[in-house]
Amino acid sequence: MAKNKVFLLLLDGVGLRNFAYSNFIAEGEKKNNNVVFWNKTHFPIESLGFKELKIENQKIHPVTDTLKKAKKDINLNVFIQRTGDKVYNSYKFKFSYKTLNAAVKSMLARLLIFTLSSERGLRLLDKYINYFERKTKYYKHCKAVLQSEKPSVVFCTSQRHVQSIAPLLAAKDLGIPTVSFIFSWDNLPKATMVVETDYYLVWSEHMKAELLYYHPNIKESQILVTGTPQFEIHFEKESLLSREAFFEAYALDKNKKYICFSGDDVTTSPDDPKYLEDLALAITRLNKKNHNLGIVFRRCPVDFSSRYDAVLTRYKDIIVAIDPIWKPFSSHWNTILPTKEDGVLFSNIAEHCEMVVNLGSTTLFDFVSHNKPCGYFRYNQLEQNNPKWDIFRCYKFVHFRSMHTTESVIWLDGPADIDSKIENVINNQHNINNDSAKKWFEKINQHPVDKASERIWETIEKITNGSLC
């Protein structure tokens, strides 16, 4: 007989990757838990052999999105008031006035921001959001499901979705313990906290300190350090192909060593194709010096644009594109979801490439898991697609301040700088960067990395048996 029925509230592809594709369910079943995905995505969880209850045709209150937008900007304003640091303005999104409906919502949000930009205003907004969400059919539906199913705990796999508010309110109103997972290392300074739960799971002591700092209404006893299942795939040795098998599967030249270029989305890096070309030119020069190198290009999974096509064609003798294995479930970008196979693919890319280069990506930690270094581009293109965009603004974001030394990454400070930095990696002269990157990873995410799912289940068990009260 199962000890606990655990509802996993699933809202997006990140939750899918972290909790359906990792060791998480297997660890839960080892402890005799009855795990049910409370699924609001388009992905059929049952196809993986897991239990699910679909949340279909349920909508948030019409004003909730506007209140959420106001809350985010007010949070950022409060952070600025508290710190005097204008960097938090970088996390604000522009208001839309493209349609009458969008314009009305934007004007209402701006009015709320103007009148409620304080800690007290935030608490008032939370009351409004909860009030309106409790009036929805969505809330009533969730309450009825919970009354029927009687789970021991509701575990929300992401803290940022407005769709999670009604289910969590219903659980709290029924006295069911609620838990939320802070899913990314950069989320807290961005003011992405939408939910209020009994407990919060974070990656590290560093993230715990951030949560206490940015949300002083949360008590220390509510925050548990577990790490994230996100990186567990890199420690599953049985998922790794041999070099020969991997190179054959993706038509790579077994005589070459490959550098991975990990692409960003067009908003994060509008000049990404030009950085890819700079790398290709550097590889061309190095190959003329009797190196035998190539590039594995992995695009951003939700970037289906043709913006890289010209570069890929021009350097087809150097660049091999290995596309992410993500699956679209509708025409909307946010229903393009990862597959389990993609995690295995990416782990193999990290295992069999010499390093990764990109613009400020978390892939640094994926490659560190395979003892490989990361290079970050740190220069603007002479001709930019968006003259207002600035790469240096990216590295001023708060989450980069957790880097204890600049040697944690290999900085690529110009097109002419790439050659020597890559040559050092090929000649195994990157140990300083690798050691520093490992220390950064240890600060960012609880180690051992592959025990995150175990730690989460230990925490859930403590919550359900009341030992954390």
Side-chain angles (χ1 to χ4, degrees):
M1 185 175 180
K3 286 196 291 186
N4 296 308
K5 179 185 281 190
V6 179
F7 264 32
L8 292 184
L9 183 56
L10 184 65
L11 301 140
D12 59 15
V14 175
L16 190 63
R17 178 198 65 196
N18 284 344
F19 298 100
Y21 297 158
S22 66
N23 296 321
F24 187 75
I25 301 301
E27 289 298 330
E29 290 175 346
K30 279 183 191 177
K31 295 179 179 292
N32 205 27
N33 290 285
N34 177 12
V35 186
V36 180
F37 281 90
W38 206 8
N39 185 9
K40 207 175 189 307
T41 74
H42 289 74
F43 185 86
I45 288 291
E46 285 185 342
S47 67
L48 300 176
F50 302 144
K51 299 174 186 175
E52 73 170 325
L53 280 175
K54 296 286 285 185
I55 302 176
E56 297 178 308
N57 304 317
Q58 300 297 330
K59 296 180 180 180
I60 62 173
H61 194 280
V63 303
T64 298
D65 245 340
T66 303
L67 296 178
K68 176 209 168 186
K69 167 63 178 169
K71 178 181 175 180
K72 176 182 170 69
D73 279 28
I74 291 172
N75 252 316
L76 293 170
N77 288 342
V78 168
F79 297 166
I80 294 169
Q81 292 165 13
R82 192 183 299 161
T83 64
D85 192 338
K86 300 293 185 181
V87 70
Y88 297 100
N89 282 321
S90 304
Y91 300 131
K92 294 179 180 179
F93 293 112
K94 292 182 179 180
F95 291 94
S96 174
Y97 298 92
K98 291 182 179 179
T99 65
L100 178 60
N101 187 46
V104 170
K105 287 183 176 181
S106 293
M107 287 188 287
L108 176 57
R110 295 185 73 167
L111 177 63
L112 291 168
I113 293 164
F114 178 75
T115 56
L116 296 175
S117 271
S118 65
E119 297 273 7
R120 186 167 176 266
L122 283 172
R123 302 285 74 78
L124 190 60
L125 264 183
D126 282 334
K127 288 182 179 179
Y128 283 141
I129 290 171
N130 293 346
Y131 172 80
F132 286 117
E133 282 302 294
R134 283 190 172 100
K135 297 293 183 183
T136 61
K137 291 181 180 178
Y138 183 17
Y139 167 84
K140 293 171 185 174
H141 166 81
C142 291
K143 196 169 184 179
V145 169
L146 293 172
Q147 286 172 322
S148 172
E149 295 291 328
K150 297 180 173 58
S152 305
V153 64
V154 175
F155 182 105
C156 182
T157 57
S158 170
Q159 84 293 341
R160 70 175 179 178
H161 288 282
V162 287
Q163 292 92 344
S164 63
I165 297 173
L168 291 170
L169 282 174
K172 292 179 79 171
D173 290 346
L174 292 170
I176 300 168
T178 56
V179 187
S180 62
F181 182 72
I182 313 299
F183 79 89
S184 184
W185 69 313
D186 65 349
N187 276 192
L188 293 172
K190 290 180 177 179
T192 64
M193 180 72 78
V194 171
V195 304
E196 292 178 281
T197 51
D198 299 310
Y199 299 97
Y200 303 84
L201 305 190
V202 296
W203 288 22
S204 61
E205 291 292 340
H206 173 79
M207 189 182 280
K208 178 179 178 179
E210 279 192 320
L211 184 52
L212 288 169
Y213 179 75
Y214 290 116
H215 299 278
N217 57 303
I218 296 174
K219 298 176 182 177
E220 186 174 0
S221 59
Q222 293 177 268
I223 308 171
L224 295 313
V225 176
T226 60
T228 175
Q230 175 176 334
F231 303 105
E232 288 182 342
I233 183 65
H234 299 301
F235 298 88
E236 295 176 9
K237 300 303 181 184
E238 65 276 10
S239 297
L240 295 177
L241 299 173
S242 67
R243 186 177 192 273
E244 292 74 18
F246 180 71
F247 274 49
E248 183 178 348
Y250 292 96
L252 300 175
D253 185 340
K254 65 180 180 181
N255 297 311
K256 286 184 177 181
K257 292 182 177 181
Y258 284 87
I259 309 300
C260 176
F261 181 99
S262 175
D264 280 297
D265 63 84
V266 68
T267 302
T268 303
S269 184
D271 298 316
D272 227 37
K274 294 180 181 179
Y275 290 106
L276 177 58
E277 182 164 28
D278 286 347
L279 178 62
L281 287 168
I283 296 298
T284 301
R285 292 189 294 268
L286 287 169
N287 286 345
K288 288 179 180 178
K289 293 172 61 178
N290 295 320
H291 290 286
N292 195 6
L293 304 175
I295 299 170
V296 166
F297 169 61
R298 177 180 164 90
R299 69 171 62 240
C300 172
V302 294
D303 183 358
F304 295 100
S305 71
S306 60
R307 64 189 184 127
Y308 296 99
D309 289 359
V311 178
L312 294 176
T313 300
R314 194 176 303 131
Y315 300 96
K316 61 184 178 182
D317 58 326
I318 291 175
I319 305 174
V320 178
I322 302 180
D323 289 337
I325 310 172
W326 285 45
K327 184 177 178 181
F329 285 85
S330 80
S331 58
H332 297 290
W333 71 268
N334 61 353
T335 63
I336 303 168
L337 301 175
T339 64
K340 188 169 186 177
E341 292 76 15
D342 186 59
V344 174
L345 170 61
F346 188 38
S347 181
N348 275 277
I349 289 174
E351 177 70 14
H352 297 297
C353 286
E354 304 301 308
M355 67 180 297
V356 65
V357 297
N358 53 45
L359 193 158
S361 168
T362 318
T363 55
L364 176 147
F365 300 126
D366 296 286
F367 273 71
V368 164
S369 299
H370 293 262
N371 200 34
K372 304 293 176 63
C374 174
Y376 280 170
F377 294 104
R378 190 170 59 176
Y379 62 92
N380 288 316
Q381 295 291 334
L382 293 177
E383 294 183 8
Q384 295 180 274
N385 288 324
N386 178 4
K388 294 182 179 180
W389 183 85
D390 181 10
I391 198 170
F392 295 97
R393 191 180 304 144
C394 165
Y395 297 117
K396 291 178 182 176
F397 288 152
V398 175
H399 60 285
F400 286 113
R401 298 175 187 177
S402 62
M403 189 189 305
H404 57 286
T405 171
T406 55
E407 292 181 336
S408 297
V409 297
I410 298 167
W411 296 102
L412 308 176
D413 287 317
D417 190 43
I418 299 173
D419 307 43
S420 61
K421 299 293 177 64
I422 290 178
E423 198 165 28
N424 286 341
V425 171
I426 300 304
N427 294 332
N428 294 315
Q429 297 176 18
H430 63 278
N431 288 336
I432 293 176
N433 301 91
N434 235 22
D435 291 343
S436 297
K438 288 176 182 177
K439 289 178 182 177
W440 191 15
F441 193 21
E442 289 169 4
K443 179 179 180 179
I444 288 299
N445 184 48
Q446 182 79 3
H447 281 50
V449 178
D450 58 337
K451 302 298 182 184
S453 288
E454 289 183 34
R455 289 190 292 266
I456 293 172
W457 279 111
E458 288 169 3
T459 301
I460 290 173
E461 195 168 69
K462 290 176 183 177
I463 290 169
T464 53
N465 67 25
S467 62
L468 288 178
C469 294

